[in-house]
């Protein structure tokens, strides 16, 4: 720091900070500016990349081709596929009908996924900690996975009635095994050198689980959610098909529309289901960017 000393008019001494000293003190405050600038530059580059025709044009062309093919088939076979304009008219003509039924289906899907996910995650922790439990439980879980859930639905209706409970159970069973398989694999796939470090430091099993195994299994957990979130919607619709007595839900709407030969309304409900699936995939993509920013899968350049 450069200091200039000068005599004051009345015999006092004054100390004045040189301009260079002010610049030195402000340096730490400005050190974060390049990092923020680089982050904003990457964000702007990502947005610019998403707006490039090479990114969105293939999807647009594919959608247009599918639409043209649909219209060609609908023109020759109106009892197989309705005109897209009729589907759009059914969709916008009574949006409240589709919103209410979509909300019912979404509730069943999320509740079933929540129960199935929690049960599978707890069981995955247990089987990852005990080889005896793994040998006892995993074969039974595999048998449950290959058993057609549709065959269990009538029994669930007899046991729990015509309410939401049997549908939630069916959805939970459908989403259970992918979470169990992925999370148990992730919990056991920790890097051995890091595990040796934890053992050298005499870490307890709980510390190894919470500070090493669970964070290491995060990519596997999100991969399981990427599969099971759309699958939960499928499970909810299947449950609405097989669990008679329900008066709402997109599955019920599809079933009644098909029975009454209302194809535009049926395909409008199918469109709502597809939008629900896309919305869930978008939520998972955001979670992966937020939670797996450190993982190499999120750092690879995207084509």
């Amino acid at each position: 720091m450069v200091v200039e000393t000068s005599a004051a008019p009345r015999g006092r001494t004054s100390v004045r900070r040189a301009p260079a000293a002010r610049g030195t003190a402000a340096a730490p405050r400005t050190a974060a500016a390049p990092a923020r600038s680089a982050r904003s530059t990457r964000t702007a580059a990502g947005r610019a990349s998403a707006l490039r025709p090479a990114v969105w044009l293939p999807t647009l062309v594919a959608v247009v081709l599918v639409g043209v093919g649909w219209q060609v088939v609908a023109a020759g076979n109106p009892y197989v596929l309705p005109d897209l304009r009729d589907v759009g008219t059914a969709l916008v003509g009574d949006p409240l009908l589709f919103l209410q039924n979509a909300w019912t289906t979404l509730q069943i899907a999320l509740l079933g996924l929540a129960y199935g996910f929690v049960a599978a995650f707890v069981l995955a922790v247990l089987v990852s900690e005990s080889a005896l439990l793994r040998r006892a439980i995993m074969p039974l879980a595999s048998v449950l996975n290959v058993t057609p859930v549709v065959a269990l639905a009538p029994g669930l209706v007899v046991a729990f009635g015509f309410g939401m409970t049997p549908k939630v159970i069916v959805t939970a069973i459908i989403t259970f095994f992918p979470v169990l398989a992925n999370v148990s694999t992730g919990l056991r796939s920790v890097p051995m050198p890091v595990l040796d470090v934890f053992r050298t430091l005499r870490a307890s099993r709980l510390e190894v689980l919470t500070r090493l195994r669970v964070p290491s299994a995060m990519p596997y957990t999100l991969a399981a959610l990427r599969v099971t979130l759309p699958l939960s919607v499928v499970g909810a619709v299947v449950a609405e098909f097989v669990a008679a007595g329900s008066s709402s839900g997109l599955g019920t709407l599809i079933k009644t529309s098909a029975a009454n030969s209302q194809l535009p309304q049926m395909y409008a409900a199918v469109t709502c289901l597809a939008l629900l699936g896309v919305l869930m995939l978008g939520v998972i993509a955001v979670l992966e960017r937020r939670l797996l920013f450190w993982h190499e899968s999120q750092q690879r350049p995207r084509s």
Side-chain angles (χ1 to χ4, degrees):
M1 179 177 67
V2 180
V3 177
E4 291 182 2
T5 305
S6 60
R10 295 183 180 178
R12 292 183 300 181
T13 302
S14 64
V15 178
R16 180 165 56 88
R17 189 184 298 274
R22 291 195 298 270
T24 306
R29 191 168 50 192
T30 58
R36 288 196 298 268
S37 176
R39 197 160 48 241
S40 61
T41 302
R42 286 196 298 270
T43 304
R47 291 173 181 171
S49 175
L51 294 177
R52 284 189 299 123
V55 175
W56 54 265
L57 189 58
T59 303
L60 179 62
V61 171
V63 171
V64 171
L65 289 177
V66 170
V68 171
W70 180 296
Q71 287 297 93
V72 170
V73 175
N77 302 277
Y79 296 104
V80 176
L81 287 179
D83 193 289
L84 282 178
R85 289 169 294 187
D86 296 335
V87 176
T89 301
L91 195 59
V92 301
D94 192 1
L96 193 60
L97 171 69
F98 296 99
L99 285 176
Q100 289 175 342
N101 287 282
W103 174 241
T104 301
T105 301
L106 185 62
Q107 282 181 299
I108 296 171
L110 294 181
L111 280 176
L113 177 64
Y115 287 124
F117 180 86
V118 171
F121 194 91
V122 172
L123 206 56
V125 171
L126 294 177
V127 301
S128 68
E129 294 294 319
S130 172
L132 182 62
L133 284 177
R134 184 165 60 252
R135 287 193 291 270
I137 292 176
M138 291 307 289
L140 294 178
S142 300
V143 170
L144 180 63
N145 182 46
V146 299
T147 302
V149 183
V150 177
L152 302 176
L156 294 173
V157 171
V158 172
F160 298 101
F162 296 104
M164 187 178 287
T165 302
K167 302 177 183 63
V168 171
I169 293 176
V170 167
T171 307
I173 293 174
I174 289 177
T175 57
F176 173 79
F177 189 78
V179 177
L180 174 64
N182 279 273
V183 175
S184 60
T185 302
L187 290 173
R188 288 184 286 112
S189 301
V190 296
M192 288 307 295
V194 183
L195 186 59
D196 290 338
V197 171
F198 273 70
R199 288 170 176 168
T200 303
L201 295 175
R202 299 182 183 277
S204 64
R205 296 186 70 168
L206 181 61
E207 289 174 331
V208 173
L209 176 65
T210 57
R211 300 187 179 185
L212 177 60
R213 292 191 185 277
V214 171
S216 298
M218 187 64 72
Y220 294 86
T221 304
L222 290 177
L225 283 177
R226 178 178 283 274
V227 174
T228 54
L229 262 178
L231 197 60
S232 65
V233 177
V234 177
V237 172
V238 170
E240 289 172 355
F241 280 166
V242 297
S246 176
S247 60
S248 61
L250 288 176
T252 304
L253 183 62
I254 291 172
K255 190 176 179 181
T256 55
S257 300
N260 296 322
S261 300
Q262 297 176 332
L263 289 183
Q265 189 179 65
M266 188 195 79
Y267 280 101
V270 173
T271 304
C272 292
L273 285 174
L275 293 177
L276 276 182
V278 171
L279 177 64
M280 290 184 170
L281 287 178
V283 171
I284 286 299
V286 173
L287 284 178
E288 285 181 339
R289 290 196 192 100
R290 297 291 182 183
L291 300 178
L292 296 181
F293 59 91
W294 51 272
H295 196 256
E296 59 182 5
S297 63
Q298 300 300 314
Q299 297 172 3
R300 292 172 183 168
R302 298 179 178 179
S303 58

